[in-house]
Amino acid sequence: MRIFIIKSSTAHTAFDYSIKDIPGTSGRLDLICRSLNAAFQLSHSFRKNVRVYTVLYGPPDPPKTIRFEGAKIKPKTLNPDEVSTAKLIGKILNAGKDIKEPTKEREVLPGIYISRMTFEDVVRKNIKYNLYLLEENGVDIEKVKFPQDNVGFILGDQNGFTEEELNFLEGLVPKITIGPKPYLTSHVIAFVNIYLDRIGIP
Ligand SMILES: C[S@@+](CC[C@H](N)C(=O)[O-])C[C@H]1O[C@@H](n2cnc3c(N)ncnc32)[C@H](O)[C@@H]1O
């Protein structure tokens, strides 16, 4: 299984944004929509061996974490286009409005869950799956010997990570890089997926 944990410091935690202007009104939920596209979509098929957590810290009610479980998501739920994904996320946020418990997940649709888990909760919960932090100044991905069973990647948004988050991750997960420039989160996910395909990691 492949896991992607994407932290957004700004993406809204309620369906209070306009579908006509997703980047301008949702705290860059468009970045999350494109990242989901890169994580799951293949030409005419879907990566069932992928799990994505999007950890949202934008207003008005952070944190909200949405888990997408490729193996359980029904066809035509998560589509390639950004607008339908932003609507889907809005529907999930609406369904999770009244969640009180800090870590309990609620299944909104088959394979799609919402909770109040923090970024740290998500990392701790998945630490057994061989996590890596994707950062520009890490070890070259080509030097990494990935395990054959489970592998996970932690990515930031347009603002990267805070000092506090980096301190939390330091020593907990290895830091790796895909190249010498700061790339878009969705492009990094696409690259990692294709790279793992090429080197034969399921
Ligand atoms: C647009 S970048 C963030 C740039 C942000 N200004 C910063 O300084 O961190 C979004 C995310 O993509 C990932 N990323 C970007 N470039 C990368 C690279 N060369 N190697 C590995 N991950 C990268 C990181 O997880 C980063 O947090």
Side-chain angles (χ1 to χ4, degrees):
M1 179 179 50
R2 297 179 190 174
I3 301 173
F4 295 98
I5 299 170
I6 310 153
K7 192 226 67 175
S8 168
S9 51
T10 55
H12 284 201
T13 42
F15 193 1
D16 58 0
Y17 48 87
S18 163
I19 287 299
K20 291 196 177 127
D21 180 12
I22 303 165
T25 62
S26 69
R28 298 300 316 277
L29 195 67
D30 56 307
L31 179 155
I32 298 293
C33 297
R34 279 194 294 280
S35 296
L36 286 164
N37 175 307
F40 285 111
Q41 303 293 341
L42 286 164
S43 179
H44 302 298
S45 68
F46 190 79
R47 293 185 187 267
K48 284 188 175 298
N49 66 331
V50 167
R51 168 188 294 170
V52 172
Y53 286 92
T54 62
V55 190
L56 314 180
Y57 276 96
D61 191 23
K64 288 278 170 67
T65 289
I66 305 174
R67 170 163 65 103
F68 298 84
E69 204 63 50
K72 286 186 70 188
I73 294 174
K74 296 267 182 268
K76 300 204 186 306
T77 304
L78 197 52
N79 299 306
D81 71 291
E82 242 167 76
V83 169
S84 85
T85 304
K87 281 186 190 162
L88 174 68
I89 291 176
K91 191 170 160 183
I92 299 159
L93 290 170
N94 278 341
K97 248 185 196 165
D98 61 332
I99 290 190
K100 301 263 182 308
E101 305 90 335
T103 56
K104 203 161 171 256
E105 293 183 302
R106 177 180 293 172
E107 189 165 15
V108 177
L109 289 168
I112 305 184
Y113 310 78
I114 185 161
S115 71
R116 284 197 170 277
M117 276 194 277
T118 63
F119 174 65
E120 287 81 0
D121 291 333
V122 174
V123 171
R124 284 202 190 92
K125 199 177 163 77
N126 289 278
I127 200 78
K128 58 181 178 281
Y129 295 119
N130 308 306
L131 299 183
Y132 296 85
L133 169 63
L134 280 160
E135 276 269 273
E136 207 180 324
N137 63 347
V139 170
D140 189 332
I141 193 167
E142 289 191 1
K143 296 205 167 78
V144 180
K145 179 128 181 53
F146 289 108
Q148 280 286 332
D149 49 359
N150 300 303
V151 61
F153 301 91
I154 303 170
L155 299 104
D157 62 358
Q158 70 284 358
N159 299 321
F161 295 98
T162 63
E163 272 307 305
E164 201 184 347
E165 287 161 348
L166 290 173
N167 287 340
F168 163 70
L169 294 168
E170 179 91 45
L172 197 60
V173 295
K175 196 161 45 164
I176 64 171
T177 181
I178 64 159
K181 295 193 172 156
Y183 305 107
L184 300 180
T185 306
S186 55
H187 291 189
V188 177
I189 294 172
F191 177 93
V192 168
N193 259 337
I194 296 168
Y195 179 76
L196 296 181
D197 294 343
R198 287 176 60 108
I199 62 167
I201 300 293

